[in-house]
Amino acid sequence: MRGKHLTSGIAVIGSGYWGKNLVRNYHQLGVLKLICDKNELIRDKFKAEYPGADTCMALNDVISREDIQGVVIATPAETHFDLAREALLSGKHVYVEKPLVLDEKQAEILIGLAREKGLTLMVGHLLQYHPAFVRLKELAASGELGRINYIYSHRLNLGKIRREENILWSFAPHDISMILALAGENPESVLATGGNYLHRRIADVTTTHLEFPSGLRAHIFVSWLHPFKVQQLIVVGDRVMAVFDDTLPWTDKLLLYRHEIQWRNGVPIPEKADAERVGIAQAEPLRLECEHFLDCITLGCRSITDGDEGLRVLRVLKASQKSLDLQGNRILFDGAGTGRSVSLSASSPPTDSLLPAGSVPANGAIHKKGDYFVHSSSCLDDPCEIGAGTKIWHFSHILPNSRIGEACNIGQNVVIGPDVTIGKGCKVQNNVSIYKGVTLEDGVFCGPSMVFTNIYNPRAEIRKMDQVRPTLVKQGATLGANSTIVCGVTIGRYAFVGAGAVVTHDVPDHALVVGNPARQIGWVSDTGDRLGLPVTGEGVAVCPVSGKHYQLSKGKISESEVVEQKNSFPCQSTQGMNI
């Protein structure tokens, strides 16, 4: 229970489907200070519901608050790394909903940052805090269940059906977390199979099999196409079997079965026993999880589901996805059981989820030949043109007559086109849609979940594609995470649009803009470092990274070969600008 002396404040970023439950709990615990959400309607709703908490739409407003000690992140998984990294760099403790991140190297970076700064990094593996599972883990650790031979979990329901991730990533992390906790060891191999029924690229049903060095085996069956809800974890010990069923009334959530196998004349004969209820104090698991995060902040204790635990779960997820992509081939972890390097069984061909363009994966053809890579879950429509060295990741769709230049990196769940042109060396992060009318020149960066529009005043009932307003993003510009570019504007060369900004007018070359509506607050160099120049007036600055000299005159920036001492300004870093 929280002590009355607690003075730490919590900010929740993302207050949608699950985030609203975190908002409620931290409010009830008396520590909710700030709710950060891009959706204005959601912010207004929570402002009325929780008048004691402030609201904002940008990460900068969170990490700049001295009264915020912990940041709770409940946003799409592809945004977790950037948000968590910025929060840790600003000295905040961080809680991230599952999964921790989508990439193992990103997880290692976050773990290293938290350790270096002495901060808590905690992952929202909720069921680790469920009183029934806590008691089950105690029974297993005490030896009451005997030697655990087998564990299996079923997490089934009709919905919630997602399009940004498959059922494995949506439902299985909790079960993987619980199984690893009970096993006390890392698996040595993973095998996963699944079926795609609602969308040919996204698995709706998967079964994952784990084998451990001790001989323990486990499987996880998840589906969002099931007629009724099932949430069971079954542990088969050689002395006692345990069933954790979260759909049953509280008194029946954890049952023990002391069945025995008697051998008579060489034949195994089962002798069944009645179910035994296990007395457990009733409490909301999410409330306990939130209290645990606060304990970690105030007492400095290590989280049960810290970054290291989140990384172990992530490695199993990644190996499971690899097996799924390879249609059920067994994936072997390295000798240390870390999963850092995985290999296929001897019977499996050396292949990968990245397929050379022009090849035909089992679950979808790649249409255009060339020296580029497309994940098998992505779709390219004819005709389109992809430059050499470009990579297109999971669940992305390139529509007809689109042209993507060389050496681009297109993230997950990206839609491009139709009739869109993207220059060389561009990076488009996850969950970005680049619609008809948008043109990106070379070297443009589009941050996670940023938005382009192409119709100024759209209506669902009125077709207005003849009113498309062109948007041009010039060479080297950066568009920060969750920013919105209203159609019909030009973003200048090497301009920098801060996270969450809403751009409604042209942005000059090298200009730094933030806010809603976006306003200019400074200038940046080619490298993205802030120049110590006034917004208006005249002056000269030097970028310490590139050594280039920049001159401001008549509202425009130009490179200058000679630096005048008069009105000379230093260059500042844009770190924390939160792209």
Side-chain angles (χ1 to χ4, degrees):
M1 188 66 67
R2 308 271 37 83
K4 294 182 179 179
H5 65 280
L6 181 65
T7 58
S8 61
I10 297 294
V12 178
I13 303 177
S15 50
Y17 173 72
W18 186 248
K20 65 179 184 291
N21 297 314
L22 292 161
V23 168
R24 170 178 56 83
N25 271 277
Y26 283 111
H27 172 73
Q28 291 173 351
L29 289 166
V31 295
L32 180 67
K33 298 291 186 182
L34 184 62
I35 303 168
C36 180
D37 199 287
K38 185 180 178 182
N39 190 309
E40 184 177 1
L41 294 177
I42 290 178
R43 293 200 307 273
D44 290 343
K45 175 181 179 293
F46 281 113
K47 205 167 189 177
E49 191 170 350
Y50 304 108
D54 298 326
T55 62
C56 69
M57 67 175 293
L59 178 60
N60 280 338
D61 295 328
V62 176
I63 61 179
S64 62
R65 290 267 299 254
E66 294 184 359
D67 61 335
I68 300 297
Q69 199 170 357
V71 174
V72 173
I73 299 171
T75 57
E78 62 273 8
T79 67
H80 287 178
F81 174 69
D82 288 333
L83 294 173
R85 179 185 57 187
E86 293 298 324
L88 289 169
L89 285 171
S90 66
K92 312 295 186 187
H93 301 271
V94 173
Y95 165 101
V96 185
E97 262 306 324
K98 57 86 182 171
L100 173 57
V101 286
L102 298 175
D103 180 81
E104 294 174 37
K105 290 183 179 178
Q106 291 180 343
E108 290 169 351
I109 289 171
L110 295 181
I111 292 168
L113 269 176
R115 186 172 293 124
E116 175 188 334
K117 292 182 171 291
L119 297 169
T120 294
L121 174 63
M122 176 173 161
V123 188
H125 292 147
L126 174 66
L127 292 177
Q128 288 263 20
Y129 303 92
H130 195 299
F133 179 74
V134 173
R135 182 66 182 123
L136 173 58
K137 193 163 63 169
E138 290 172 351
L139 291 171
S142 70
E144 184 164 345
L145 305 183
R147 182 180 186 274
I148 297 178
N149 295 318
Y150 191 68
I151 304 172
Y152 67 91
S153 67
H154 290 176
R155 192 163 303 278
L156 317 168
N157 204 358
L158 187 62
K160 179 176 191 266
I161 298 167
R162 300 177 182 271
R163 280 295 166 261
E164 70 275 12
E165 62 186 7
N166 62 23
I167 186 64
L168 173 71
W169 288 82
S170 184
F171 278 23
H174 291 305
D175 300 287
I176 294 172
S177 176
M178 289 190 292
I179 289 171
L180 293 182
L182 290 170
E185 58 181 340
N186 293 313
E188 61 183 9
S189 71
V190 176
L191 183 153
T193 60
N196 306 359
Y197 306 106
L198 301 180
H199 189 290
R200 66 175 183 166
R201 311 288 188 189
I202 300 174
D204 304 296
V205 179
T206 65
T207 303
T208 302
H209 299 265
L210 308 175
E211 295 185 3
F212 293 84
S214 65
L216 169 66
R217 296 195 175 194
H219 86 243
I220 301 164
F221 176 31
V222 291
S223 171
W224 53 38
L225 283 180
H226 197 76
F228 52 87
K229 189 173 187 178
V230 178
Q231 292 182 346
Q232 286 184 333
L233 179 74
I234 298 174
V235 182
V236 178
D238 62 5
R239 291 177 55 195
V240 178
M241 302 177 186
V243 179
F244 170 28
D245 190 333
D246 205 19
T247 64
L248 294 180
W250 193 267
T251 54
D252 295 325
K253 285 191 183 294
L254 181 59
L255 300 177
L256 302 182
Y257 293 84
R258 301 185 186 276
H259 301 321
E260 294 183 356
I261 303 296
Q262 300 291 343
W263 289 83
R264 296 171 186 163
N265 299 321
V267 177
I269 305 296
E271 292 187 359
K272 296 183 178 180
D274 293 335
E276 299 176 11
R277 289 173 171 165
V278 179
I280 302 166
Q282 187 166 348
E284 182 187 2
L286 183 57
R287 171 77 172 230
L288 297 175
E289 184 182 49
C290 293
E291 290 183 345
H292 179 71
F293 181 50
L294 295 177
D295 282 340
C296 292
I297 293 174
T298 57
L299 304 178
C301 52
R302 182 172 180 174
S303 174
I304 299 169
T305 55
D306 62 3
D308 290 320
E309 194 268 347
L311 177 56
R312 288 193 293 273
V313 172
L314 177 62
R315 284 170 174 159
V316 175
L317 280 169
K318 296 279 283 186
S320 301
Q321 182 64 55
K322 189 176 184 70
S323 177
L324 195 64
D325 292 341
L326 296 171
Q327 300 186 49
N329 284 340
R330 187 179 305 280
I331 303 300
L332 304 178
F333 287 84
D334 63 14
T338 64
R340 180 177 301 278
S341 61
V342 295
S343 60
L344 304 180
S345 60
S347 61
S348 304
T351 183
D352 196 87
S353 298
L354 287 176
L355 300 175
S359 66
V360 182
N363 60 346
I366 303 299
H367 299 283
K368 190 77 174 175
K369 291 185 178 180
D371 186 19
Y372 60 89
F373 294 94
V374 181
H375 190 270
S376 60
S377 65
S378 290
C379 178
L380 275 65
D381 293 341
D382 281 329
C384 62
E385 183 178 327
I386 313 296
T390 286
K391 295 180 180 179
I392 300 173
W393 297 94
H394 307 59
F395 309 123
S396 292
H397 189 181
I398 314 302
L399 280 72
N401 301 310
S402 296
R403 301 174 61 188
I404 302 176
E406 299 175 358
C408 292
N409 196 336
I410 310 300
Q412 299 185 62
N413 199 34
V414 171
V415 176
I416 296 174
D419 307 311
V420 164
T421 299
I422 295 177
K424 296 183 295 184
C426 293
K427 186 171 184 180
V428 181
Q429 297 280 58
N430 302 338
N431 292 326
V432 174
S433 294
I434 304 176
Y435 300 119
K436 181 175 182 176
V438 177
T439 300
L440 308 184
E441 292 186 352
D442 297 347
V444 171
F445 177 92
C446 297
S449 301
M450 63 81 47
V451 175
F452 289 104
T453 70
N454 62 356
I455 304 295
Y456 189 75
N457 56 343
R459 291 292 195 192
E461 298 174 341
I462 304 173
R463 179 173 174 79
K464 294 188 175 185
M465 288 307 294
D466 59 339
Q467 301 177 28
V468 168
R469 296 187 182 185
T471 297
L472 174 62
V473 185
K474 292 189 174 182
Q475 180 180 356
T478 291
L479 310 177
N482 293 311
S483 61
T484 298
I485 311 301
V486 177
C487 57
V489 303
T490 296
I491 310 296
R493 295 175 68 254
Y494 298 104
F496 198 111
V497 178
V502 179
V503 176
T504 58
H505 299 286
D506 291 350
V507 178
D509 294 352
H510 293 277
L512 169 61
V513 299
V514 299
N516 180 11
R519 68 189 188 282
Q520 185 176 354
I521 62 169
W523 305 91
V524 294
S525 66
D526 290 6
T527 61
D529 291 280
R530 190 167 179 177
L531 298 169
L533 293 172
V535 175
T536 59
E538 297 185 354
V540 176
V542 182
C543 176
V545 176
S546 66
K548 289 183 178 180
H549 305 82
Y550 294 87
Q551 183 170 1
L552 172 63
S553 178
K554 298 180 180 179
K556 294 183 179 180
I557 286 282
S558 61
E559 292 184 24
S560 173
E561 295 183 0
V562 180
V563 181
E564 302 290 344
Q565 294 302 316
K566 182 179 179 181
N567 294 335
S568 181
F569 298 91
C571 184
Q572 303 170 3
S573 172
T574 54
Q575 184 175 3
M577 288 293 303
N578 175 32
I579 62 173

